[in-house]
Amino acid sequence: MTQQNMHATTKGRRVRGPVAAIIAVSVLTACTTETLGAPPQSSIVGVAPSPSSLAASPTSSAPLPSMGTPTLAFGEPEIVTANLDAPWSVAFHGQTPLVSERDTARILELGSDGSSREVATITGVTPMGEGGLLGIATHNGYLYSYFTADGGNRIERYEITGRPGELVLGFAETILDGLPSAGYHNGGRIAFGPDGMLYVTVGDAGNRYSAQNLELPSGKILRMTPDGAVPEDNPFPDSLIYSYGHRNPQGIAWANDGTMYASEFGQNTWDELNVIEPGGNYGWPNVEGIAGEGRFIDPVQQWGPAEASPSGIAVHNQTIYIANLRGQRLREVALPNVSTAVERFVGQYGRLRDVTVAPDGSLWIITNNTDGRGNPSADDDRIVRFPLT
């Protein structure tokens, strides 16, 4: 795919309320680190930061970072809402939370009493494996969504109108389409940075070598204007690509000083936390984890997939919070010393898909036990709120 057909902006259909049930597409999917480590691949090199005795192998355990001191105390948990169906992302329109559900393609508006109301069902979503309605973000009165469609992954936006409790989405405007999709490695996180630009994580969609190809958007983090155009100060001329060499990044967030962080699923040896630099090459598929090779930027932390599989992340009060699926824990990394970490709620809430900071400064985590890979309890999936003090 060339840069020219990576960019399309069109207006068309209105996003409607309930529609006919979406038929899931059956696909053959490879193992991913959301559940089980993928089979060893001879071209993958995972090297620990320690001596050769800690060299990575499919059966080795990642050296844990030294344990840090929590920066904020967590208050008593509160259930914001329950009985969600494979929720993937949460975004706030003013004070009103909006939630995406991967397989139903619904956008839900949450009430202060824990109730949920369907704002819309996103037309054209084709759930398959890890694909479906994924990340959402809000900006200047619009809702942006990233989803899997028949022709690949797509980003659309819709004007938000109405009062809280009566929100409506307007016509769909395509911001970017034709992104590679598959039953796995879709990336899918979208967020607006402090510069007002839209950042998008795109997985390798099973084509591992595309991550090193600057003519293709897969295995990349993209940066674009809110309309989908290429910013003049992007690192590669006339290209949306901001960084490359990624396998399946699913979390992006910024610290107060503007530093960008991203979480990434590894293959079967190391999952990663990276500091993202414009034009940076993060090594996939040539390396996985900390390799010490000058051609690539090493992660600042790495973990074995069984203890991690990191998805959404958030930064608050000089702390990075990382939601982990297979690891079933919230990991926090205090800044600026990114070599330490604290683990919370190990196994307590099951798989964690996303974490975000609410307008009131509390921390919200989204469970993901109904996506076909977890063991849901009677009221899963849930959003759990933690006051921070």
Side-chain angles (χ1 to χ4, degrees):
M1 180 185 299
T2 65
Q3 178 59 49
Q4 284 72 25
N5 51 19
M6 279 175 60
H7 178 216
T9 302
T10 57
K11 291 188 177 180
R13 53 194 166 73
R14 178 175 293 279
V15 179
R16 308 180 191 276
V19 296
I22 296 173
I23 301 175
V25 178
S26 298
V27 294
L28 293 174
T29 61
C31 294
T32 76
T33 52
E34 288 196 16
T35 48
L36 300 176
Q41 301 288 339
S42 59
S43 61
I44 301 303
V45 180
V47 182
S50 306
S52 58
S53 60
L54 290 177
S57 70
T59 58
S60 67
S61 297
L64 294 176
S66 58
M67 300 306 289
T69 301
T71 56
L72 292 174
F74 279 54
E76 289 298 316
E78 305 168 13
I79 302 300
V80 174
T81 193
N83 298 305
L84 300 174
D85 188 351
W88 214 91
S89 183
V90 60
F92 289 87
H93 174 60
Q95 301 291 317
T96 303
L98 299 170
V99 179
S100 63
E101 289 185 331
R102 187 190 70 186
D103 298 335
T104 67
R106 297 192 303 169
I107 299 292
L108 302 177
E109 175 185 0
L110 303 184
S112 58
D113 59 354
S115 61
S116 62
R117 168 186 169 268
E118 183 177 314
V119 175
T121 297
I122 304 300
T123 306
V125 176
T126 305
M128 56 178 187
E130 296 173 12
L133 177 58
L134 304 177
I136 58 174
T138 57
H139 183 71
N140 288 346
Y142 284 87
L143 176 74
Y144 289 71
S145 72
Y146 180 115
F147 63 88
T148 306
D150 285 340
N153 288 323
R154 179 187 304 168
I155 302 169
E156 291 183 344
R157 72 176 178 184
Y158 330 86
E159 186 178 12
I160 307 171
T161 59
R163 298 178 299 178
E166 302 175 350
L167 296 183
V168 176
L169 297 188
F171 289 100
E173 179 182 358
T174 300
I175 300 302
L176 182 67
D177 62 6
L179 295 172
S181 64
Y184 51 92
H185 303 184
N186 287 290
R189 194 69 59 187
I190 60 177
F192 281 89
D195 56 2
M197 298 296 165
L198 178 62
Y199 292 76
V200 180
T201 70
V202 184
D204 68 10
N207 180 5
R208 50 180 16 215
Y209 296 105
S210 68
Q212 291 292 320
N213 187 339
L214 291 176
E215 297 298 318
L216 299 174
S218 47
K220 313 295 192 301
I221 294 176
L222 308 181
R223 178 179 183 258
M224 64 196 71
T225 70
D227 297 326
V230 178
E232 292 183 358
D233 58 347
N234 264 14
F236 303 104
D238 300 319
S239 174
L240 295 175
I241 294 171
Y242 191 70
S243 63
Y244 65 110
H246 300 289
R247 181 176 181 266
N248 189 20
Q250 282 193 6
I252 45 178
W254 290 262
N256 292 338
D257 64 1
T259 302
M260 182 180 178
Y261 296 90
S263 60
E264 183 168 337
F265 288 83
Q267 170 93 348
N268 59 356
T269 307
W270 307 116
D271 292 337
E272 301 176 355
L273 176 67
N274 288 295
V275 175
I276 302 301
E277 301 177 10
N281 184 350
Y282 291 82
W284 177 256
N286 302 91
V287 296
E288 181 183 1
I290 298 171
E293 291 193 20
R295 295 178 296 160
F296 310 120
I297 299 174
D298 281 339
V300 293
Q301 284 202 27
Q302 62 183 21
W303 316 279
E307 289 76 40
S309 300
S311 189
I313 70 175
V315 178
H316 179 56
N317 197 48
Q318 290 297 98
T319 301
I320 307 171
Y321 296 96
I322 307 167
N324 293 274
L325 289 160
R326 189 176 169 198
Q328 299 189 13
R329 69 199 67 191
L330 184 74
R331 185 173 276 113
E332 63 180 69
V333 178
L335 300 174
N337 182 11
V338 292
S339 66
T340 64
V342 173
E343 296 179 351
R344 296 184 183 269
F345 318 123
V346 179
Q348 186 171 344
Y349 296 104
R351 293 161 54 83
L352 304 183
R353 171 65 70 180
D354 196 15
V355 55
T356 191
V357 180
D360 65 0
S362 63
L363 200 69
W364 290 23
I365 60 174
I366 296 181
T367 71
N368 217 185
N369 298 312
T370 61
D371 67 346
R373 293 176 172 176
N375 297 302
S377 63
D379 59 352
D380 274 332
D381 272 307
R382 297 165 285 170
I383 296 179
V384 187
R385 174 185 181 272
F386 295 90
L388 298 176
T389 58

